[in-house]
Amino acid sequence: MENAAESTLQSQRDDEVQGQEDSVSEVKTEKELEEIELMSYITSDLHIVPEIVSGIHSADREVRLAATVTVRRVMQELMKLARQSLVNSELIEPVVGMLSLDDLELCEEAAWILINFTADLVSESEVNVVVAAGAIPKLIALLPCESTDVMENAVWVLANIAGQSRHVRDVVIQEGGVKPVLDILDTPEKYELKVVTIATHALDSYLNPKWDQKLGYEVTRPMIPVLIRFIKSTADETLESFADVLRCLDHISANTTAAEAIIATGITPRLVEICATGNDKLRPRAIHCLRQFISHSEPSIDAPIQAGFLTALKSCINCEHYRTRLSACRATWKIVKDSLTTAQALFDNDLVAPIFKMISNQEEDTKIRQNAVWLLLNLTKTAKEHNELFLKLVQANCMEAFAWGLTSTHYHTLGGLLEALENVVYTQWSGREEALERFKLSGGGSRLAAIKDGSETRRTHVGRMAVDLLRGHFHEFGRRPRV
């Protein structure tokens, strides 16, 4: 009886496994069947089959719509093959011709085709086919319209086109592609969230910093008040569109004139507030935007500091989020810029000592440690002109940071440390000898010798810097031991 029960149980298990396998097989078969169907619409020489091409050109609206839906499905699933097939069959122009408010259903499908045609990995020549067919003015003419899906698709295509290259980005802007996107962002309450979100993506594509020629202030000027209003009026900071708008403002602020115009709007305290919150999706971008302000002129530096930026940076440096900490470190060394006032502000806000700890921490991330070293380097440059700053640096344990920082194997980190150490050593100031003793007691001299003799640094500029420091001030560590 026991064997029979076991046999029955095993049989049930086998049936369950077979049923699961059959189910998976059915799903797989359905997917394969769909792919076979869609492949049947593409010929061996990469053309769309004649009956679909004829349908696209048909005067019968229903036939035309059915053929367009089929092309959209093919384009969605077989993107690379479908792109070339549409070009070879000269279907881009008739698809672009469907971008009209006269038939919103057909228009939505046509725009959907163009979304996928202009998506990732498309070549500039392929995008140029869409542009040459007159797509840009037709897409702009669809904005706004009563169909949310048509609006979303139209803006999406503009974003894809603008994101392909600087040349086509400029064409989109010249033909008027900025205003309809700004109109959406200026009154976001009038539109569904997905339309607002894709509009922020489009603006981000226009401002993409990867292009060698960034947009000038004459183009970005009308964007600034719209972006500022959006940031000030949007309560939900978790929205994807909020992060995109913040990124757009950051891109624009790379231009000095634009940065000054942004500061004049009074948005700086709001950006500082974002830095102080725990939203680590936004904090690095807000920090970078404020850092852009700091990179320009003295008033640009003052605005973030007066708004409490340094206090916010302290919380960012002490947080656990990598990109936030890295962004905060980068911002601190930008702030100093040979200015005693800003250097003093860093000390007053207790920012220097925790950053020196990053240099001393051998487990610290290389990029964060390197940026911390750049702060130390900038502070020592300032101290060469204002010697009283050296005492503050020593009190903040900079000599220990030097000594432990020299355990790094990163070439540029070592170079920055040694240059900063030269500033301390080669400048005459009260307290220098005591500072050098602290460096020696922390093991700095022996680590200089290790850099001098290291296989990776011996014959490099860094190695020669170590030799010079040893000969001039730490000669007892530079002698080779007697054998």
Side-chain angles (χ1 to χ4, degrees):
M1 289 293 291
E2 187 175 337
N3 290 339
E6 288 179 358
S7 177
T8 302
L9 182 60
Q10 183 62 47
S11 176
Q12 289 174 348
R13 287 174 177 165
D14 290 343
D15 289 343
E16 288 175 7
V17 170
Q18 185 63 48
Q20 291 170 359
E21 290 176 350
D22 290 343
S23 176
V24 171
S25 177
E26 286 173 10
V27 171
K28 184 179 179 182
T29 301
E30 287 175 7
K31 186 174 179 63
E32 287 178 343
L33 285 172
E34 181 184 20
E35 186 172 333
I36 290 169
E37 178 208 349
L38 295 176
M39 284 294 295
S40 71
Y41 298 122
I42 299 177
T43 65
S44 58
D45 61 346
L46 295 183
H47 284 71
I48 300 297
V49 294
E51 56 266 34
I52 298 299
V53 174
S54 297
I56 292 289
H57 291 283
S58 174
D60 186 308
R61 190 264 181 189
E62 296 306 318
V63 172
R64 196 178 184 197
L65 177 60
T68 304
V69 170
T70 299
V71 171
R72 187 259 298 163
R73 290 177 58 220
V74 172
M75 191 71 241
Q76 231 177 320
E77 300 298 327
L78 307 171
M79 193 176 292
K80 188 174 180 180
L81 288 175
R83 262 195 204 118
Q84 192 57 52
S85 301
L86 260 68
V87 172
N88 292 344
S89 300
E90 299 182 348
L91 286 182
I92 296 300
E93 190 169 337
V95 168
V96 168
M98 298 175 192
L99 299 174
S100 168
L101 296 175
D102 295 338
D103 190 329
L104 292 178
E105 187 178 8
L106 193 61
C107 180
E108 179 188 343
E109 293 289 341
W112 199 342
I113 290 170
L114 295 177
I115 288 173
N116 289 305
F117 188 92
T118 57
D120 294 341
L121 303 180
V122 65
S123 69
E124 185 170 358
S125 62
E126 289 168 332
V127 169
N128 285 337
V129 173
V130 176
V131 174
I136 294 173
K138 284 184 169 291
L139 290 164
I140 292 170
L142 298 175
L143 305 170
C145 75
E146 62 187 46
S147 168
T148 295
D149 292 331
V150 168
M151 284 192 69
E152 180 189 23
N153 289 358
V155 176
W156 201 330
V157 180
L158 287 172
N160 284 354
I161 292 173
Q164 206 286 325
S165 75
R166 180 178 63 81
H167 168 69
V168 290
R169 185 272 312 265
D170 291 346
V171 172
V172 171
I173 291 171
Q174 289 162 9
E175 296 201 22
V178 173
K179 187 179 183 304
V181 171
L182 289 182
D183 287 344
I184 294 170
L185 298 181
D186 201 24
T187 53
E189 67 280 359
K190 292 183 179 179
Y191 306 98
E192 287 190 22
L193 180 59
K194 64 179 183 178
V195 173
V196 175
T197 301
I198 198 63
T200 62
H201 286 333
L203 199 62
D204 190 33
S205 292
Y206 298 170
L207 294 164
N208 198 324
K210 74 180 180 181
W211 310 132
D212 55 1
Q213 184 178 333
K214 297 178 177 61
L215 295 179
Y217 180 57
E218 69 281 357
V219 178
T220 63
R221 183 177 180 179
M223 300 178 185
I224 293 172
V226 174
L227 296 177
I228 297 300
R229 278 194 294 273
F230 192 98
I231 292 172
K232 287 183 175 180
S233 63
T234 302
D236 187 356
E237 294 180 0
T238 64
L239 294 176
E240 185 178 351
S241 56
F242 190 89
D244 285 341
V245 165
L246 199 58
R247 184 164 54 249
C248 289
L249 195 69
D250 183 18
H251 295 333
I252 293 171
S253 64
N255 177 282
T256 301
T257 306
E260 291 171 353
I262 293 169
I263 292 170
T265 67
I267 194 64
T268 303
R270 180 73 178 95
L271 296 176
V272 170
E273 181 184 322
I274 293 169
C275 294
T277 66
N279 188 339
D280 286 309
K281 183 178 180 181
L282 302 178
R283 289 167 95 182
R285 186 58 62 180
I287 292 169
H288 191 269
C289 190
L290 291 164
R291 183 180 133 203
Q292 299 267 41
F293 296 173
I294 290 165
S295 300
H296 298 304
S297 62
E298 197 67 34
S300 299
I301 296 174
D302 292 341
I305 291 177
Q306 291 172 5
F309 185 36
L310 297 185
T311 302
L313 280 181
K314 185 178 179 181
S315 70
C316 294
I317 284 169
N318 292 324
C319 79
E320 297 296 323
H321 189 261
Y322 171 72
R323 284 188 60 237
T324 299
R325 293 178 72 230
L326 179 60
S327 297
C329 276
R330 284 175 172 163
T332 55
W333 65 262
K334 283 280 188 181
I335 287 171
V336 177
K337 294 181 71 172
D338 302 323
S339 167
L340 179 62
T341 302
T342 52
Q344 183 61 55
L346 290 183
F347 282 101
D348 292 344
N349 285 272
D350 298 323
L351 276 164
V352 177
I355 292 179
F356 285 178
K357 286 181 181 178
M358 293 175 173
I359 299 173
S360 300
N361 183 4
Q362 298 176 70
E363 302 300 318
E364 185 59 84
D365 173 79
T366 298
K367 285 186 178 179
I368 290 178
R369 206 176 187 190
Q370 183 181 6
N371 277 274
V373 167
W374 284 337
L375 171 63
L376 176 54
L377 177 57
N378 279 356
L379 286 170
T380 60
K381 286 179 179 178
T382 304
K384 287 174 68 177
E385 303 299 324
H386 306 279
N387 291 173
E388 65 274 23
L389 196 59
F390 277 128
L391 293 173
K392 287 184 173 291
L393 289 170
V394 172
Q395 290 168 3
N397 298 322
C398 80
M399 303 315 294
E400 289 75 14
F402 276 125
W404 285 103
L406 293 178
T407 60
S408 173
T409 57
H410 186 258
Y411 184 84
H412 295 295
T413 298
L414 291 174
L417 279 168
L418 292 180
E419 185 180 348
L421 185 58
E422 286 177 341
N423 292 337
V424 174
V425 169
Y426 297 146
T427 305
Q428 294 294 330
W429 57 281
S430 174
R432 185 185 66 167
E433 297 308 317
E434 180 187 345
L436 298 187
E437 283 303 314
R438 290 179 64 164
F439 177 73
K440 294 174 187 178
L441 289 172
S442 299
S446 58
R447 292 185 188 111
L448 277 177
I451 293 170
K452 172 181 75 75
D453 298 326
S455 59
E456 298 294 324
T457 52
R458 186 169 58 242
R459 300 182 185 277
T460 66
H461 178 62
V462 164
R464 289 190 292 274
M465 291 171 78
V467 168
D468 291 341
L469 284 163
L470 286 165
R471 285 175 179 171
H473 294 273
F474 308 100
H475 52 84
E476 67 269 34
F477 296 96
R479 298 169 184 158
R480 292 184 182 279
R482 291 184 180 180
V483 179

